Amino acid sequence: MLEQTNVKTLEKVVVRFSGDSGDGMQLAGNIFTNVSAGIGNQVSTFPDYPAEIRAPQGSLGGVSGFQVSVGNKVHTPGDHCDVLVAMNPAALKQNHHHVNPGGVIIVDIDSFKEADLRKALYSTDEPFKELGIKAQVVEVPVTTLTKEALADSGLDNKSVLKCRNIFALGLVCWLFDRPLESALHFLRKKFARKPAIFEANSKVINAGYNYGANRHASVSTYRIESEPARPGVYTDINGNTATAWGLIMASEKSDRPLFLGSYPITPATDILQELAKRKDLGVKALQMEDEIAGVCSAIGASFAGNLAVTSTSGPGLALKSEGIGLAVIAELPLVVIDVQRGGPSTGLPTKTEQTDLLQALYGRNGESPVAVVAPATPTDCFTMAFEASRIAIEHMTPVILLTDAFIGNGSSAWRIPDSDEYPEIKPNYISPEKAAEISWRPYLRDEKTKVRYWAIPGTEGLTHRLGGLEKDYVTGAISTDPENHEKMVYTRREKIARIADDIPALEVIGDDDADTLLLGWGGTYGHLRTAAQDLCSEGRKVAFTHFRYINPLPSNTGEVLRSYKKVIVAELNTGQFADYLQAKYPDVRIERINKVQGQPFLVEEVVEGVKRIMDEK
């Protein structure tokens, strides 16, 4: 009779897969995430890529990680993990501190030979003792068992070793009672053109699952509670894919063809790759020769009547600045997506930061205002990509969409929305009949919104030219008149300000009696909201709000900020949003919690920061 395992019931659980860059940790993590989302769990992921293209095998610099939290009320990938899978000594050394006390560490003991320990810079031959590990360590001969499972497969040794990650995935699926049928579905889809590889991985994932079931050691296993989900079709989706799909929805709702002109750059390239697959939906995606060509091609497409988009990361946004300025003075709709990463210059290409905010707000010559929005989660990237497109088209302006590497690469469970859940996008067209009625010129505008009319080239009677030289407010002809220039500057500024009438008010959640407000913007949402909840559960009176609309700010922002004695801004930079708010509302004292390490916040960091500020006299 098999020994009864120690079963822990948890509201949510965190798993971290770690190994060499080539060990397939991202694939194993993604499949586990998809399987968990498919059975109704909420999920949040954090792919942690090394910055090196391919560091030496077994070295500390080449460790790749993938952390996922699954369960209920999941807003973050978790500060620490309950289970760590370490495929070699380097992965263990880099990640053991992430494990909760009493957690489980699964290691491929076949990879812990003396040479492996030396590569990972261990000073002794007892790695677990040297690291002071207190967790339950499960030593599994993953490499040996993978080879045994594929002894008759006909695959070469290199191909066999590539399946080790799937053995580990099978063992983790057993540990959390995940259905193998779902995992096999994803493997079958991934290796549809390589049936021999699928068959090998099918054998290996079953071998890993059966090893856990047959070993049945005194290792804690986990049952994750679940709650009924809103009916619908769910999938696991990362932020970059959600962004691409949100643009497609906006194209459908505006009846404008979607054009993307972009240059590949980490971590934004996936948006270009996803849209390049969507020719069936009429999407035109062009890989341009550089960042400047990317934005200029999009400006041309916008002039021609397209929903025009260009995507990049921080260094590319700098290169696009002159082109964005051209779109500002031409008053053309343009969506600029910046998936922020660590900087400056090349900086930390695979790590996350929120350090491009001031560049997005002010990084152009002259008075060059644009709308700026920022999604809060991977799934919110869909909504805010749609919103950025709507604002760009309906208000005839460039809009910068600030995502970041954390939510761009990270994923969440997402219910695929129905089309009628999103509104129609209404371009401010000028018809030939109305043009004749009002003696139309290119810069005539709706005086209520200050939005100029959009004339689609090729429409009879609407011939016009736009460009980078200042234009006369009425005639649209080139003008160097000082007073006209000042009028145009203030008009373009006012046009952006009036977008505040067309966006949602700021919402506050948490303790109604709170005198401290914690706030953030963009991809820090999950960590800050969880921190606020934890503080409230400790009896601290804290409220929380989050900004997705940056310029203009929601119309009730001042009212909200002035309602609290202490306002704390937490962000992954040195205080850019805090400075922005302080300049807008000088009568409000803004406190700050900042982190600039290329890593997302830990919830406990935010909790401790808020406590410190609240306790200051």
Side-chain angles (χ1 to χ4, degrees):
M1 182 176 178
L2 295 175
E3 181 184 351
Q4 179 65 39
T5 56
N6 177 22
V7 180
K8 293 183 178 181
T9 300
L10 299 173
E11 184 177 65
K12 53 190 172 186
V13 73
V14 179
V15 185
R16 188 175 183 93
F17 296 86
S18 63
D20 261 330
S21 306
D23 282 343
M25 295 297 95
Q26 307 300 323
L27 176 61
N30 273 309
I31 293 176
F32 182 79
T33 302
N34 274 284
V35 170
S36 299
I39 61 174
N41 292 141
Q42 296 176 6
V43 299
S44 178
T45 72
F46 174 41
D48 192 9
Y49 302 101
E52 294 80 359
I53 294 175
R54 181 59 66 87
Q57 187 174 13
S59 68
L60 296 174
V63 174
S64 177
F66 185 102
Q67 185 160 305
V68 55
S69 178
V70 303
N72 293 323
K73 300 177 183 177
V74 171
H75 300 299
T76 79
D79 286 4
H80 306 288
C81 60
D82 301 291
V83 175
L84 169 67
V85 177
M87 300 299 285
N88 61 26
L92 177 67
K93 195 171 192 177
Q94 294 285 64
N95 291 282
H96 72 93
H97 60 279
H98 292 296
V99 184
N100 282 318
V104 175
I105 300 177
I106 300 171
V107 300
D108 178 6
I109 200 63
D110 290 334
S111 298
F112 278 68
K113 304 292 192 294
E114 182 178 353
D116 302 312
L117 296 174
R118 297 297 169 263
K119 285 181 185 177
L121 305 180
Y122 285 83
S123 57
T124 70
D125 293 330
E126 298 181 338
F128 309 119
K129 183 178 180 180
E130 181 177 330
L131 296 175
I133 290 175
K134 306 296 184 183
Q136 306 172 74
V137 177
V138 183
E139 300 179 10
V140 182
V142 174
T143 300
T144 298
L145 294 171
T146 301
K147 288 180 177 180
E148 289 178 359
L150 299 179
D152 301 325
S153 66
L155 296 178
D156 59 69
N157 188 59
K158 184 177 180 181
S159 298
V160 168
L161 292 178
K162 284 185 176 181
C163 297
R164 294 187 313 137
N165 62 325
I166 303 303
F167 183 98
L169 173 63
L171 182 54
V172 173
C173 284
W174 164 77
L175 197 62
F176 294 101
D177 195 24
R178 308 285 95 168
L180 283 191
E181 294 78 11
S182 298
L184 288 168
H185 169 78
F186 288 106
L187 288 169
R188 186 179 292 109
K189 184 177 180 181
K190 179 171 179 60
F191 298 113
R193 298 183 180 180
K194 299 178 180 179
I197 300 298
F198 164 71
E199 289 300 327
N201 281 295
S202 176
K203 289 181 180 179
V204 168
I205 196 171
N206 276 285
Y209 191 95
N210 292 334
Y211 175 84
N214 294 331
R215 188 175 188 275
H216 228 275
S218 57
V219 174
S220 298
T221 55
Y222 300 88
R223 183 174 66 83
I224 305 167
E225 295 180 344
S226 60
E227 293 180 344
R230 180 182 174 186
V233 177
Y234 284 80
T235 186
D236 167 57
I237 193 170
N238 68 36
N240 282 338
T241 301
T243 298
W245 292 3
L247 296 171
I248 293 171
M249 173 72 90
S251 175
E252 293 287 328
K253 288 293 188 175
S254 64
D255 195 29
R256 291 290 87 205
L258 175 57
F259 174 91
L260 176 78
S262 288
Y263 181 73
I265 182 171
T266 301
T269 304
D270 289 346
I271 298 170
L272 171 60
Q273 293 175 333
E274 180 64 27
L275 288 177
K277 303 173 186 176
R278 299 276 71 95
K279 292 180 182 178
D280 56 326
L281 298 176
V283 177
K284 297 183 286 291
L286 295 185
Q287 178 177 324
M288 306 305 294
E289 64 268 29
D290 56 37
E291 296 284 4
I292 298 171
V295 68
C296 289
S297 66
I299 290 170
S302 178
F303 179 76
N306 289 256
L307 167 54
V309 185
T310 188
S311 56
T312 189
S313 191
L317 185 62
L319 289 168
K320 294 181 190 293
S321 61
E322 186 177 1
I324 297 170
L326 173 59
V328 169
I329 199 168
E331 298 190 50
L332 284 168
L334 175 68
V335 177
V336 182
I337 301 165
D338 176 13
V339 187
Q340 299 168 94
R341 70 189 204 188
S345 187
T346 307
L348 303 172
T350 62
K351 307 302 181 182
T352 194
E353 282 182 3
Q354 293 182 297
T355 46
D356 295 346
L357 177 61
L358 294 184
Q359 181 180 201
L361 289 168
Y362 306 118
R364 294 160 298 282
N365 68 295
E367 296 288 347
S368 189
V370 301
V372 179
V373 298
T377 66
T379 56
D380 193 41
C381 286
F382 180 93
T383 299
M384 295 312 290
F386 181 91
E387 268 291 271
S389 303
R390 183 189 68 81
I391 292 170
I393 288 176
E394 294 188 349
H395 294 270
M396 295 296 285
T397 179
V399 179
I400 296 179
L401 177 69
L402 287 176
T403 76
D404 57 58
F406 172 64
I407 59 173
N409 292 325
S411 60
S412 298
W414 182 58
R415 187 186 68 83
I416 298 175
D418 296 326
S419 178
D420 58 10
E421 293 178 36
Y422 285 80
E424 180 185 354
I425 295 176
K426 301 175 181 178
N428 196 35
Y429 292 134
I430 183 75
S431 66
E433 296 75 19
K434 186 170 183 178
E437 177 185 331
I438 64 173
S439 300
W440 172 80
R441 294 292 184 272
Y443 286 91
L444 287 185
R445 59 189 75 242
D446 182 326
E447 288 300 325
K448 180 181 178 181
T449 62
K450 296 298 181 182
V451 177
R452 81 169 184 87
Y453 297 105
W454 196 7
I456 304 301
T459 304
E460 185 176 355
L462 300 184
T463 303
H464 65 287
R465 290 186 297 177
L466 300 174
L469 291 171
E470 187 64 278
K471 303 298 191 296
D472 184 83
Y473 186 92
V474 177
T475 68
I478 293 172
S479 172
T480 58
D481 178 74
E483 293 185 359
N484 176 77
H485 172 59
E486 184 172 75
K487 184 175 184 178
M488 290 296 278
V489 165
Y490 278 104
T491 297
R492 289 188 288 261
R493 180 181 178 182
E494 184 63 21
K495 180 179 71 171
I496 300 301
R498 294 188 185 187
I499 295 172
D501 298 330
D502 193 30
I503 60 175
L506 199 60
E507 295 184 0
V508 179
I509 60 175
D511 195 317
D512 293 336
D513 298 326
D515 57 10
T516 297
L517 176 67
L518 173 65
L519 68 86
W521 65 277
T524 59
Y525 169 81
H527 297 87
L528 303 191
R529 179 171 180 178
T530 304
Q533 290 173 339
D534 290 352
L535 287 160
C536 288
S537 67
E538 294 180 16
R540 298 269 184 164
K541 293 185 178 299
V542 176
F544 169 68
T545 192
H546 204 75
F547 287 81
R548 296 153 75 223
Y549 298 87
I550 307 297
N551 192 39
L553 293 164
S555 57
N556 65 330
T557 299
E559 176 188 349
V560 169
L561 298 185
R562 295 185 184 102
S563 300
Y564 297 89
K565 293 180 180 179
K566 292 192 176 183
V567 176
I568 304 171
V569 178
E571 51 187 324
L572 299 176
N573 55 44
T574 58
Q576 294 185 18
F577 190 55
D579 289 344
Y580 177 60
L581 290 178
Q582 191 71 81
K584 293 276 189 181
Y585 307 100
D587 57 320
V588 177
R589 181 179 175 182
I590 306 292
E591 305 284 357
R592 300 139 193 270
I593 298 172
N594 302 108
K595 181 177 181 179
V596 200
Q597 300 177 9
Q599 297 289 322
F601 278 119
L602 300 180
V603 172
E604 62 189 26
E605 292 173 335
V606 180
V607 168
E608 290 306 312
V610 172
K611 286 181 178 179
R612 173 180 52 79
I613 294 170
M614 291 182 73
D615 292 341
E616 288 176 351
K617 294 183 179 179

